[in-house]
Amino acid sequence: MSPLTRKLLRDLWRMKGQALAIALVIATGVMMTVMMTGLVESLSETRRAYYERYRLADIVAPVVRAPDRLAEAAARIDGVAAVQTRITGGALIDMPGRAVPIQAQALSLPDRGAARLNDIHLTAGQGLARAGDDDILLLQSFATAWGLGPGDTLSVTMNGARRELTVVGLAQSPEFLFTAAPGEMIADDSRYGVFWMRHGALAAVQDQQGAFNQVLVGLTRDADAEAVKDALDRLLDPYGATGAHGRDGQFSDIVITQEIAGLRSTAASVPPIFLAVAAFLLNIVVGRLVQAEREEIGLMKAFGYTDTEVSLHYLRLVLAIAVIGAALGCLFGIYAGYGMTDLYLKFFKFPFLVFRLDPASFVIGVGASILAASAGGMLVLRRVFALAPAEAMRPPAPADYSRTGRVGQAVLNLVDQPTRMVIRRLTRQPVRMAGSVIGIACGMALSSAMLTIFAAFDVTIENGFAVADRSHALVGFNRAVSEDTILALKRRPGVMRAEPMRQVPVILSNGRHEHRGAITGLPEGATLIRALSAELAEIEMRRDGLIVSQVLADKLHLAPGDTLRVDVREGRQPVLDLPVAAVATGFSGTPVYMELEALNRALDEPGRVSAAALLVDGAQAEALYAWLKDQPAVAGVAIKNEMRAALERMMDEGAGQTRFILGALAFVLTFGIVYNTARIALAERGRDLASLRVIGFTRGEAAYVLLGELAVVTLVAVPLGAALGHGVTQLLAAAYSSELYVIPALFAPAAQGQAALVVLSAALASGLLVKRDLDRADLVETLKTRE
Amino acid sequence: MGAIAYTTRGLTKVYGDGHTAVHALRGVDLQVPEGEVVVLLGPSGSGKSTLLNILGGLDRPTEGTARFRDTELTGLNDRQLTRYRRDHIGFVFQFYNLMPSLTARENVELVTEIARDPLDPGAALDLVGLGARMDHFPAQLSGGEQQRVAIARAVAKQPDVLFCDEPTGALDSQTGRDVLAVLQRLNQSLGTTVMIVTHAASTAGMADRVIRFADGRITSDARNATKLDAAEIHW
């Protein structure tokens, strides 16, 4: 081993604390890059392969009832590669021991042969090839949640009739990577079922013999999707088409697409913060080392080492730290990636999901991280280059503070000498101090933003489930029924209050901006489900226009007073132009409200309701739900507490998990910077501090000079971190918000306080660690060292 | 002979242990009266600096005792040693050890702020002939000027003893003479006991007493019949 290599290793060992702190900051950045790009790659690639293998349709066109012969016409549309017609229908599964029925979807599979599109992946039992009319394949995740398997029977109500169905097999489907009950945004394997029946059997149940109510279309490679959708709509319009949509209209795909986009944006935005901080720290630490080793550098040059060789020595030191950090980061990243993959499998029902990394992007990502982090240290190498051997052999001149001396003399006169030392040092290297301040502020900003987002999730849940929606349960009906149904409900024991609702599927458009959703009709003076302003004040339902949720207003570029085109996809399917009367704050989903009677009038269907919001007496709830279960008109009952529990579970385990990781990483970052700041201050001032001790200053007094600087840097960083944190909160809130739920960018004083506490405890811990070294320092030895 | 400042008995200092043990002092017995200028001479590693550090309260002996006036130094804890340095001792080092972030005057004030009966910082700097440059930072001063600031800082608290470890080691001969002249003047005007560690034998001419060290022992202890003026010293 060459002497320089040995020196390199010893230098690394000597500065191991700092080197490790920096390496960990780099490791964090690399870990997130590796883990998140890996997850993006794994999720998108697995999804692509899964969709391709089971031929997920590119376009889905629902219709009320269309004759089978239309399938051929659909296949002739330019750009269509494959067509599969099928029957779908709502169903209620009555699980023993559960008061309310579980909503489910029944889907048909061809009587003979595999489905040309939206095929299923059989995981247990047998297929439907030799199945009878009452045999079904059940969605694997639902079966697992209820402990069901082949041979078990289910009591199912479809189209008003109850039947006993036998599970012959379990299946997964690319259509149901993520499931939630209609109208809910929350994954819950146990509260939404999917099953498949033979086409003929389901046709008999749903009165669809010789017909279908859904067309699935696969596109050719160069197809114009919009043109195909238009052609399908024209073809199916006479049969009650509600509008063809692509995968972007499919709930499961929306959720996973948003998850991938979220991962991608986090992977692009957060790791650079860590790498920039690492670059800054390496710059300072290596700069300090080069300053201290002027003599050695001069000596090596005097011996005949070239500038390049000497610089290379220090470059290797920088790279060693960066590479150690990157290697740790890769290991952590791959480990975390595998862990996250398991977690994702709980939410996204892939038949398989292997954490994988694209070698090219892996190498580029890690290489770029190493370069970015080392850049800070490399800047210092110019000084190594520039150092002349003779100059290096002269003792260094004392650091020149003369240009800071006159600043604020009036202020300086008020303080003692140790305080002046602190002030002068802070003002002498404003750039470096600003770097430390910004670095610590970044750490605090990340912490406070993560903590604020925790709080914001809670606020969203609280506002969505307790303030905007004060009902206990929502009862959905099979079709729009007479408002007398509400009166009947009100008379049931256990119903304290019942309010009508009407939900109408619509396509909303404002110019080229389009959204597929539903309008919710609520009566004037509704008390259970309400539209709220940003200040949580109730917005009264309007007869003269729509109340649009903020997320939708943003998506469609709407403001109050604008006119929105409403293409109703139900009943006589009118196209209406309605004004936007107000914008409501949203918590989950993208609701659009209108006064119930006005909505019915516009549809020319007076006195109709499609759902009821209930306030239920807890003591009689069981009996009420049992009665509802037997009502043929009831399509489903959603109990709010169950939805809330499911949402909270999802927040904590799914999307929420990354918050905890980011929170921990923010702490690593903060500690890394604070500790380095303290460490460097000690290295640079060891001699001064020893001199103070010799002169007769106590340990505490000497430590004041050292830690005073750290205290000032920390205290300046805290308010800056709070301000930055608010900015990061807005970015994160926007990143976490989606059409599924809205995370507000709150200002949460408690979160800011906790983040400040994190910074202060990091400062305190670093201060104590450094003070311990200061106390241990041998006065005599320190004084003998020349600098 | 006046009152005794220091008395040591069997002072021994061993660094490390076993095979790696280094005996810096091997049983030194010494008495230093107040008001003397003592020069400790000897090659590197002879133990003179170790003695100075122990007497100055920077280090502790392995064995033996060191007494300052009525105080047993070896019995003091860390806090008491700090107090001792603060109240009685001034230090001047080879490499000055000034605070680069403080001006000359502020470096002196650093000490006068915590001393019991300090000189005026300006007066202390006048004493070393730097009254005119007191608002300069160390970076703006020459080596000799920096050493004189260090001396002003050391004497400003009116210490009982001034310890100087190679005070001229980093200086050219003329500047070195100027610095020694300052030390001599202080001894004469304030009666401060001055102990100078050096391996420049010529410095010995200005001492009341010259103690030579080798291998951790005192090899000779002699009084100068006539003291030279610092200006007459050559090396």
Side-chain angles (χ1 to χ4, degrees):
Chain A
M1 196 187 291
S2 82
L4 275 186
T5 308
R6 238 173 292 157
K7 173 177 177 329
L8 177 76
L9 293 177
R10 290 204 184 119
D11 286 346
L12 269 177
W13 181 249
R14 195 159 42 81
M15 54 193 286
K16 54 186 177 297
Q18 271 174 296
L20 190 68
I22 297 172
L24 280 181
V25 173
I26 297 173
T28 306
V30 172
M31 176 186 101
M32 298 186 72
T33 306
V34 167
M35 178 185 83
M36 294 199 166
T37 54
L39 283 173
V40 167
E41 166 84 11
S42 309
L43 286 174
S44 0
E45 189 47 34
T46 309
R47 176 177 67 166
R48 189 199 58 72
Y50 193 28
Y51 282 5
E52 189 178 284
R53 174 126 179 235
Y54 293 94
R55 303 179 294 281
L56 185 75
D58 296 301
I59 292 173
V60 176
V63 63
V64 173
R65 188 178 198 283
D68 282 341
R69 62 184 162 76
L70 283 189
E72 278 174 49
R76 281 196 300 272
I77 294 173
D78 201 23
V80 171
V83 170
Q84 173 73 58
T85 59
R86 68 178 183 181
I87 298 164
T88 75
L92 290 176
I93 302 176
D94 184 7
M95 292 305 296
R98 199 185 136 86
V100 291
I102 293 165
Q103 296 199 54
Q105 186 179 9
L107 294 163
S108 70
L109 284 173
D111 287 338
R112 275 182 300 278
R116 281 186 292 274
L117 294 168
N118 287 22
D119 201 4
I120 48 116
H121 169 67
L122 198 67
T123 57
Q126 57 185 46
L128 293 175
R130 278 184 295 279
D133 284 353
D134 288 331
D135 291 343
I136 59 167
L137 297 179
L138 189 60
L139 187 67
Q140 160 88 58
S141 53
F142 180 80
T144 308
W146 285 99
L148 297 169
D152 290 330
T153 59
L154 290 178
S155 172
V156 177
T157 307
M158 283 188 289
N159 211 10
R162 181 173 289 213
R163 322 169 48 128
E164 291 293 310
L165 301 179
T166 306
V167 178
V168 295
L170 303 182
Q172 289 185 316
S173 155
E175 227 179 321
F176 300 101
L177 281 173
F178 184 93
T179 54
E184 291 184 27
M185 305 294 177
I186 305 147
D188 189 340
D189 291 345
S190 69
R191 288 198 305 120
Y192 186 67
V194 176
F195 59 86
W196 289 265
M197 296 175 76
R198 286 161 56 91
H199 187 92
L202 193 56
V205 174
Q206 299 281 355
D207 299 326
Q208 294 276 3
Q209 286 97 337
F212 59 85
N213 63 8
Q214 201 175 60
V215 188
L216 306 175
V217 169
L219 295 175
T220 56
R221 204 171 286 277
D222 52 355
D224 174 355
E226 290 308 313
V228 174
K229 280 190 233 172
D230 289 345
L232 277 171
D233 285 346
R234 277 195 301 276
L235 178 70
L236 298 172
D237 221 28
Y239 307 94
T242 55
H245 59 83
R247 288 176 185 169
D248 57 358
Q250 193 183 319
F251 182 61
S252 163
D253 193 71
I254 292 174
V255 175
I256 192 166
T257 301
Q258 282 180 346
E259 185 65 35
I260 291 173
L263 279 172
R264 198 172 266 138
S265 72
T266 315
S269 57
V270 180
I273 297 179
F274 285 83
L275 295 177
V277 167
F280 169 71
L281 291 178
L282 268 176
N283 178 284
I284 294 178
V285 170
V286 177
R288 162 74 208 153
L289 184 73
V290 166
Q291 175 67 26
E293 297 196 344
R294 294 158 47 89
E295 275 182 60
E296 284 91 330
I297 294 168
L299 201 64
M300 284 191 270
K301 289 188 178 180
F303 286 163
Y305 282 99
T306 64
D307 289 344
T308 314
E309 284 166 332
V310 179
S311 304
L312 204 59
H313 170 66
Y314 291 94
L315 176 65
R316 285 199 300 168
L317 183 83
V318 171
L319 285 179
I321 295 175
V323 168
I324 289 171
L328 282 176
C330 289
L331 285 178
F332 294 160
I334 291 170
Y335 180 76
Y338 277 106
M340 289 296 283
T341 305
D342 288 343
L343 190 73
Y344 272 114
L345 271 180
K346 279 196 210 161
F347 290 90
F348 298 114
K349 304 302 183 317
F350 289 106
F352 56 86
L353 177 61
V354 181
F355 182 70
R356 68 165 100 191
L357 290 160
D358 172 34
S361 63
F362 175 74
V363 170
I364 293 170
V366 173
S369 305
I370 292 176
L371 281 182
S374 325
M378 291 184 192
L379 285 177
V380 176
L381 299 183
R382 285 180 317 177
R383 300 210 318 247
V384 179
F385 243 89
L387 208 62
E391 183 196 339
M393 301 304 282
R394 277 194 290 274
D400 188 354
Y401 282 81
S402 56
R403 268 167 300 177
T404 67
R406 311 287 169 251
V407 184
Q409 192 59 49
V411 180
L412 290 179
N413 285 339
L414 297 176
V415 299
D416 60 5
Q417 301 310 327
T419 308
R420 284 188 198 192
M421 291 172 70
V422 173
I423 294 175
R424 288 236 174 86
R425 224 180 99 87
L426 288 169
T427 51
R428 178 169 181 262
Q429 294 177 307
V431 174
R432 185 201 280 191
M433 291 303 156
S436 297
V437 166
I438 290 170
I440 295 172
C442 279
M444 164 152 168
L446 266 186
S447 307
S448 84
M450 286 333 290
L451 290 165
T452 305
I453 292 290
F454 292 129
F457 274 99
D458 292 342
V459 166
T460 289
I461 293 177
E462 180 63 21
N463 284 344
F465 284 94
V467 182
D469 177 355
R470 300 192 286 199
S471 72
H472 290 146
L474 281 183
V475 179
F477 303 118
N478 281 326
R479 61 192 85 80
V481 296
S482 157
E483 58 192 5
D484 294 345
T485 315
I486 303 297
L487 290 175
L489 268 177
K490 279 181 178 165
R491 284 196 292 271
R492 289 303 306 175
V495 174
M496 288 153 41
R497 182 181 269 278
E499 291 180 357
M501 292 171 68
R502 172 132 199 219
Q503 288 208 301
V504 184
V506 292
I507 299 171
L508 304 170
S509 49
N510 177 28
R512 58 196 169 79
H513 305 293
E514 198 179 270
H515 176 78
R516 179 179 293 273
I519 291 183
T520 304
L522 294 172
E524 257 174 350
T527 59
L528 296 181
I529 303 215
R530 308 179 299 162
L532 298 178
S533 71
E535 294 76 31
L536 299 185
E538 188 169 327
I539 302 174
E540 190 57 48
M541 285 301 135
R542 303 280 285 261
R543 289 166 188 276
D544 57 346
L546 302 168
I547 298 170
V548 179
S549 57
Q550 184 68 55
V551 179
L552 194 59
D554 292 344
K555 180 179 176 184
L556 297 180
H557 298 85
L558 290 171
D562 291 352
T563 301
L564 188 57
R565 168 145 301 187
V566 180
D567 185 354
V568 179
R569 309 309 299 176
E570 190 182 289
R572 58 185 190 94
Q573 305 202 346
V575 176
L576 312 167
D577 285 315
L578 295 172
V580 175
V583 173
T585 189
F587 306 106
S588 87
T590 48
V592 181
Y593 301 103
M594 192 175 176
E595 202 283 322
L596 179 61
E597 276 180 42
L599 177 64
N600 278 339
R601 219 175 10 257
L603 296 173
D604 209 5
E605 293 177 352
R608 296 275 124 183
V609 299
S610 66
L614 302 183
L615 213 54
V616 177
D617 174 7
Q620 302 181 67
E622 288 288 308
L624 176 67
Y625 295 146
W627 175 77
L628 281 171
K629 198 149 89 165
D630 289 331
Q631 300 308 302
V634 171
V637 179
I639 297 173
K640 208 162 63 198
N641 280 344
E642 288 182 352
M643 291 165 65
R644 181 173 183 156
L647 181 59
E648 284 172 341
R649 204 161 51 237
M650 180 168 93
M651 295 293 189
D652 288 344
E653 293 172 7
Q657 202 81 357
T658 49
R659 298 173 303 165
F660 295 108
I661 297 176
L662 283 176
L665 298 187
F667 184 78
V668 169
L669 183 70
T670 310
F671 185 79
I673 300 168
V674 176
Y675 178 69
N676 264 290
T677 307
R679 197 79 246 171
I680 288 162
L682 175 64
E684 290 186 352
R685 324 200 59 187
R687 230 167 81 91
D688 290 358
L689 297 171
S691 300
L692 286 177
R693 295 271 293 121
V694 168
I695 289 170
F697 280 68
T698 62
R699 284 191 173 142
E701 286 164 340
Y704 164 75
V705 174
L706 176 70
L707 301 180
E709 173 188 329
L710 183 65
V712 171
V713 165
T714 309
L715 292 179
V716 173
V718 165
L720 184 66
L724 272 180
H726 193 58
V728 176
T729 301
Q730 303 204 315
L731 290 178
L732 282 178
Y736 277 115
S737 293
S738 62
E739 287 182 25
L740 304 184
Y741 41 78
V742 179
I743 304 302
L746 303 174
F747 177 75
Q752 296 281 20
Q754 286 164 2
L757 216 57
V758 165
V759 172
L760 295 178
S761 23
L764 197 67
S766 308
L768 287 176
L769 280 175
V770 171
K771 182 170 183 304
R772 194 188 56 171
D773 284 2
L774 177 63
D775 289 345
R776 280 185 192 163
D778 185 338
L779 293 185
V780 179
E781 279 309 306
T782 323
L783 290 178
K784 273 187 190 154
T785 6
R786 203 165 64 177
E787 227 300 65
Chain B
M1 201 197 299
I4 301 300
Y6 287 104
T7 309
T8 72
R9 289 272 175 270
L11 208 59
T12 301
K13 179 70 183 178
V14 185
Y15 293 105
D17 49 19
H19 293 299
T20 60
V22 174
H23 289 261
L25 288 180
R26 300 170 189 263
V28 171
D29 299 320
L30 181 67
Q31 270 201 336
V32 181
E34 306 232 6
E36 278 195 344
V37 174
V38 180
V39 168
L40 305 174
L41 278 178
S44 293
S46 60
K48 55 193 193 303
S49 289
T50 306
L51 177 67
L52 194 96
N53 289 337
I54 292 174
L55 297 183
L58 294 177
D59 207 349
R60 292 168 196 280
T62 316
E63 272 175 51
T65 59
R67 171 181 295 269
F68 170 70
R69 295 182 182 163
D70 297 325
T71 311
E72 188 58 66
L73 293 180
T74 40
L76 298 185
N77 64 23
D78 209 62
R79 185 171 295 277
Q80 289 165 325
L81 276 180
T82 301
R83 193 79 233 170
Y84 159 71
R85 290 199 300 270
R86 192 172 183 145
D87 293 343
H88 302 288
I89 308 300
F91 281 100
V92 176
F93 303 97
Q94 181 176 5
F95 298 114
Y96 333 133
N97 290 69
L98 296 179
M99 302 296 145
S101 56
L102 298 180
T103 62
R105 179 212 286 273
E106 289 166 346
N107 261 289
V108 177
E109 284 170 351
L110 194 61
V111 165
T112 57
E113 276 174 3
I114 60 169
R116 283 190 303 197
D117 178 25
L119 294 177
D120 173 69
L125 284 162
D126 279 337
L127 216 58
V128 296
L130 275 177
R133 295 177 67 81
M134 62 173 85
D135 287 326
H136 286 66
F137 283 90
Q140 298 168 304
L141 299 172
S142 72
E145 286 170 331
Q146 289 182 55
Q147 190 60 299
R148 274 144 65 193
V149 174
I151 293 171
R153 184 177 68 181
V155 302
K157 66 161 115 166
Q158 308 214 56
D160 298 309
V161 188
L162 194 58
F163 287 103
C164 310
D165 195 349
E166 302 282 4
T168 57
L171 302 176
D172 64 67
S173 60
Q174 182 51 50
T175 318
R177 265 196 296 280
D178 293 346
V179 165
L180 291 180
V182 169
L183 293 176
Q184 197 166 46
R185 202 161 62 241
L186 287 170
N187 169 258
Q188 283 156 7
S189 58
L190 300 174
T192 313
T193 307
V194 179
M195 294 186 75
I196 303 170
V197 158
T198 179
H199 51 259
S202 51
T203 310
M206 64 176 277
D208 292 304
R209 183 175 170 197
V210 180
I211 300 172
R212 288 175 193 274
F213 269 80
D215 294 329
R217 292 194 181 87
I218 293 175
T219 54
S220 79
D221 185 350
R223 308 204 132 260
N224 277 336
T226 50
K227 282 206 286 184
L228 290 181
D229 192 72
E232 300 171 79
I233 292 172
H234 295 276
W235 73 82

